[in-house]
Each structure stands twice: as structure tokens, then as C-alpha cells.
Amino acid sequence: MNQDQINALRRMPVARRGHLIDGKSVAASDGATLDVLSPIDGSVLTQIARGTAADMEAAIASARASFEDGRWSGQPPAARKKVLLKWADLIDANALELAVLGVRDNGTEISMAIKAEPGSAAATIRYYAEALDKIYGEIAPTSSDILGLIHKEPVGVVGAIIPWNFPLMIGAWKLGPALAMGNSVVLKPAETASLSLMRMAELALEAGLPSGVLNAVTGEGAVVGEAMGLSMDVDVLVFTGSGGTGRRLMEYAARSNMKRVYLELGGKSPNIIFADAPNLDEAAAVAAAGIFRNAGQVCVAGSRLLVEAPIHDDFVAAVVKAAEAMRVGDPLDLNTTIGAVNSETQLAANLGFVETAKSEGGNVVTGGGRILQNTGGYYMAPTIVTGVTRHATLTQKEVFGPVLGVTSFEGEAEAVQLANATVYGLAGGVWTRNLSRAHRMIKAIRTGVVHVNTYGGPDVTVPLGGVGQSGNGHDKSLHAIEKYTNLKTAWIKL
């Protein structure tokens, strides 16, 4: 990858995108479209189909038909594996195209996008392809005249609603295990980041995935997302996004067929720095990257920095220095460290959080405002706010932007209290050279992931899931397969 290749791809026109239903690109049933605004400069990049409830119903019907006739679910594991591996190869072969298209759509800096998006997606698809023919049923320990068998079967039709921050990576977390187990899937990409995920779905067809097994409908969540949630013919619904939307999806499930709903709803993750951290300079650099990369639009972002009192001032100064050294700008420039905020709406929300933090007594020590406005794009300076209290809005509410709240603590007990002081429980970090303390903190912090002397990096081999209002169920690892599997008991008298 070099800058010339990136520049050539950024100049390419982007064709209008329809839905993907039964293996074909189709317009919305009423012909409506949505403009795709690039966060790089605010320009109209292309249009996508503005889906209707009827469009979603057609996609679900296509998925149901493909599941019932066994064109995918009835294939032997080795055959499904072959297709998925070819799909992963095609993602790799088209990685730069996919990455640049995604950056033009959602604003992630290209240096992160190439690894976190197509690179991660291909690895995830490949992981589940390799796993699917190694999943066995069970024989129960019964009396000698009974044979108890436990079969593992696909659930049927999976509805997957994907967010805008990492559509390929998170999309693959859902698609990999769901398709590996023989299910059919309907995707609903985010309105503000549909393009690369739609292209990745097209590559699945090129790899040999039968028509109807993977469908995708673009449009507004309040219309097509609601139709998916209320469908009587979706068996499992998976979603990554906001808590408010997650609650509505659970309500839709209750109002319809009581479909299983698995939610990853973000967090307010604490990154805890003890005075005995092994390398405070490294911790400061990682803390800055852990909140500011991708403009803070990362579900596990270390958005709460908890610093032991004796080192508070010096450590905050080091984080400020690291943040101010990060270059915000054109996300398709390889020298850029932080790209654009996804949308003008999200940028306004971020700035609103900063104003609230100041009104609640917080001290903005760097950043705090919109920058590069002359570009037409949506950019925000990395922002650090000190003096953030336990009950402050910046402690309790997820910003999903480049805003770091800093709180001082005295000792291990207070660190645990502060870490667990929110309704969320997705991720956290602990920096200490004391091994016993590290293990105590791992047990005490109520999150699904705890990083020790690092922040970020867990790959597909380990699960990602939260507790509390960060959701339920797990993406990644072999445990993710459980969401897309039914258990059936056979009780046989011999």
C-alpha cells in the first residue's frame, strides 16, 4: 500500500448501491435513495437505496427460502468451508479497494482501516471456516439401554444490524459464525457506512455463496431495522450499537416471535494507571491511542482514565503531549493519525458532551473543539478533560468520540469503586507491575475484557462481550458460534 494507490482509488466514482436480495442488486420498492455524505469533506459520495419495510420483508423471505431448501444449510461442512475460505481470499485480494471505500464512507484513518477492516474481516471469516468442520455433537452418559445424542443445528434466519465505525470487522464477527453453521443471513448496514459492507457481501456471491443465503438491505434503522426486529421469520437478531436501539430491538422481539436477541451496546471503559506501572511513558502513549484512534469511535475505547494521585499531574501531562502529537486530518493520508468523525450529527453530540463537562466543573486541558472546518469535513481535536467526578456526565454516558475524562484515585479500593461506577461493563485496563494486584483487579472489575499493561489488541481467538448495559452474548472466538446454534436432543431406547 502506498499513497499513490490510495489517491487513485479515492478518485474513482462510486456507483449507486441497491439492496442485495436473492443474489441481485435491486432498488428500493418505492425508488427512494439516501445521499452518502463523506465525512472527509462533506461531499455527496453516492446514493444508497432507502429501504422500506417491504424491502426488508423480501430479503427475509429470500433468506428463509434459501434456508428451508437446504442450498446452504444442507451442504456438508467441507463444502461450506471451501466457499468461506474463497471469500476470505477475495476480501484479501480486494483489501485496499475495500479499505479506501470504507474510509471515504466513515472517516477511519487508512492506516487503521486497512488492518481493522478487510484484514480483520478476512481473518475472521477464515477462522470460522476452519472451525466449522471441527464442531461435534455429543453422546450423553446414560444407562446402557439408552442412547442420548445432542445434535447442533443452525438456528435458521439471522438478522444482523451492523454499526458504522468498523462495518467489515464487526460484520465479519456476525457473518463468520452464522454462515459457518449453515444459517442464512439478512444484513442491515448503518446508514452512514454501508458501502464497504455491501461490497464485501457481493464478494461472498463471487466466492460461491448461493443466492439468498446472504441478503442486505440499506436504509434507516427506524424503518428497515424495525421491520427486521418485528419480523416473525427472523430467528436470531444480533446488533452492535447504542443502548437505546438495543432496548427497542428487545421490545420488537417480545412483540413478535420472541426471537433471541444478542446485543453489544458499547461502554464507558476505565483505563486504570497505578503509580507502579512498569513504563509510564508507554502507558501514556497507549492511553492516548486507546481513546483517540478512529476519533474515539471504538466500542472498547478507554474513555475514562483513572490515575493514582501521586502521579496524576505528570501522567496527564504525558497523555496531553501524546495526544497533541497525533495528527488529525484527511483519513486517506498515510501520515494521518486520527481521521474524521463519522457524521456532522455525531460531531455535534461530541461537542455537546464537552460543553456539559465544562459546566459540571471539568477542566479542558487540550482540544475541546471542531477543527479543519474549512475542509467541509467533520474533524475534532483530541480532547482531555480533568477533574471528572464519579457522577459526572462524562463518567456515566458514552460519548463515542475523541473525548477523554480523567479522574484521580487513592489506592486500589477506590480504583475498583470508580471502575465499576457506571451501568456499562465492556472493557477496562490496568497498568501495574504488581502481579497480585493485576489478578485482583481482573477479578474485581466488572467487564467482559480486562487489559493488563496494554490496551487493545485481543484477536478473534478470544470472546468479546459485556456485562450490565454493555449487552449480552459474545462476538469472536468459538463461543460466538453458540449464538447461531440450536441444540436438539435425541433420546433413543435401544
Side-chain angles (χ1 to χ4, degrees):
M1 176 178 66
N2 60 52
Q3 194 64 58
D4 289 340
Q5 292 172 305
I6 294 168
N7 291 341
L9 287 167
R10 80 183 298 166
R11 290 191 293 267
M12 292 181 64
V14 181
R16 179 181 294 183
R17 293 279 177 177
H19 308 312
L20 182 63
I21 300 177
D22 203 27
K24 304 178 184 67
S25 177
V26 298
S29 56
D30 61 1
T33 62
L34 288 172
D35 284 342
V36 176
L37 300 180
S38 175
I40 297 174
D41 57 12
S43 65
V44 176
L45 187 57
T46 186
Q47 291 81 35
I48 57 174
R50 184 179 187 177
T52 65
D55 296 334
M56 180 56 72
E57 290 164 5
I60 293 169
S62 174
R64 175 58 62 188
S66 74
F67 180 75
E68 297 296 343
D69 68 21
R71 70 187 75 165
W72 181 249
S73 58
Q75 288 193 28
R80 297 200 302 270
K81 176 179 180 176
K82 183 178 180 180
V83 171
L84 293 178
L85 288 175
K86 186 174 180 181
W87 186 22
D89 290 343
L90 286 173
I91 294 170
D92 276 337
N94 292 272
L96 189 56
E97 172 206 339
L98 287 164
V100 172
L101 182 62
V103 170
R104 295 172 76 185
D105 200 7
N106 77 345
T108 300
E109 56 273 12
I110 187 66
S111 59
M112 170 176 268
I114 192 69
K115 298 175 183 177
E117 283 286 84
S120 174
T124 296
I125 298 298
R126 199 170 280 118
Y127 176 86
Y128 289 106
E130 293 291 355
L132 71 87
D133 58 1
K134 302 169 183 68
I135 299 168
Y136 292 85
E138 302 169 35
I139 299 176
T142 62
S143 62
S144 60
D145 61 338
I146 292 291
L147 177 61
L149 302 178
I150 303 169
H151 296 268
K152 296 182 179 180
E153 300 182 337
V155 297
V157 175
V158 173
I161 301 177
I162 309 302
W164 43 258
N165 56 330
F166 293 108
L168 299 188
M169 178 177 73
I170 297 174
W173 290 351
K174 321 295 189 188
L175 289 169
L179 292 172
M181 289 306 300
N183 298 286
S184 293
V185 181
V186 180
L187 281 175
K188 192 279 169 187
E191 299 95 305
T192 56
S194 296
L195 300 178
S196 59
L197 190 56
M198 295 298 288
R199 176 61 182 140
M200 191 171 83
E202 292 172 352
L203 292 176
L205 297 179
E206 292 183 29
L209 192 71
S211 297
V213 174
L214 176 57
N215 303 273
V217 177
T218 57
E220 296 154 322
V223 178
V224 292
E226 178 179 293
M228 178 184 283
L230 289 170
S231 173
M232 298 294 290
D233 220 13
V234 171
D235 300 296
V236 166
L237 185 60
V238 290
F239 168 73
T240 296
S242 71
T245 300
R247 287 182 176 85
R248 286 195 295 275
L249 294 175
M250 295 181 78
E251 292 172 4
Y252 296 157
R255 287 165 53 190
S256 54
N257 61 345
M258 297 182 70
K259 59 180 67 65
R260 304 203 305 253
V261 181
Y262 297 104
L263 306 170
E264 195 266 89
L265 303 177
K268 196 69 194 177
S269 300
N271 192 12
I272 305 166
I273 316 297
F274 285 97
D276 69 344
N279 186 327
L280 289 172
D281 288 336
E282 179 187 6
V286 172
I291 177 60
F292 297 130
R293 294 300 302 272
N294 197 28
Q297 299 164 141
V298 181
C299 57
V300 298
S303 57
R304 289 191 294 143
L305 186 63
L306 311 182
V307 186
E308 197 164 17
I311 62 168
H312 176 274
D313 292 351
D314 288 343
F315 190 79
V316 169
V319 178
V320 169
K321 182 179 179 181
E324 292 178 346
M326 301 174 85
R327 176 179 171 181
V328 183
D330 178 1
L332 286 172
D333 185 332
L334 284 168
N335 294 314
T336 292
T337 315
I338 303 171
V341 175
N342 176 256
S343 68
E344 193 163 21
T345 299
Q346 185 65 39
L347 177 59
N350 295 348
L351 297 173
F353 274 106
V354 175
E355 293 307 308
T356 298
K358 290 192 289 188
S359 72
E360 293 177 347
N363 179 34
V364 177
V365 295
T366 190
R370 183 175 185 175
I371 59 174
L372 304 175
Q373 195 164 354
N374 63 306
T375 66
Y378 316 131
Y379 300 94
M380 183 174 176
T383 300
I384 299 175
V385 183
T386 59
V388 177
T389 67
R390 173 175 179 167
H391 300 291
T393 301
L394 209 57
T395 294
Q396 298 298 327
K397 301 292 185 181
E398 184 178 39
V399 178
F400 217 64
V403 181
L404 176 64
V406 185
T407 305
S408 178
F409 70 87
E410 296 273 4
E412 195 173 308
E414 187 180 12
V416 171
Q417 290 174 355
L418 289 168
N420 293 336
T422 77
V423 298
Y424 296 105
L426 187 59
V430 177
W431 294 77
T432 178
R433 67 173 68 250
N434 185 319
L435 184 60
S436 296
R437 170 183 283 160
H439 282 289
R440 288 194 300 269
M441 296 297 289
I442 290 168
K443 289 183 178 181
I445 298 171
R446 293 194 296 269
T447 60
V449 178
V450 180
H451 308 87
V452 177
N453 295 333
T454 187
Y455 202 94
D459 63 18
V460 72
T461 60
V462 292
L464 172 64
V467 299
Q469 293 185 31
S470 284
N472 63 323
H474 293 86
D475 285 325
K476 306 197 303 177
S477 83
L478 296 180
H479 293 284
I481 293 171
E482 298 162 10
K483 297 189 295 189
Y484 309 102
T485 306
N486 285 334
L487 299 180
K488 178 183 286 183
T489 295
W491 191 257
I492 305 168
K493 184 175 182 181
L494 301 176

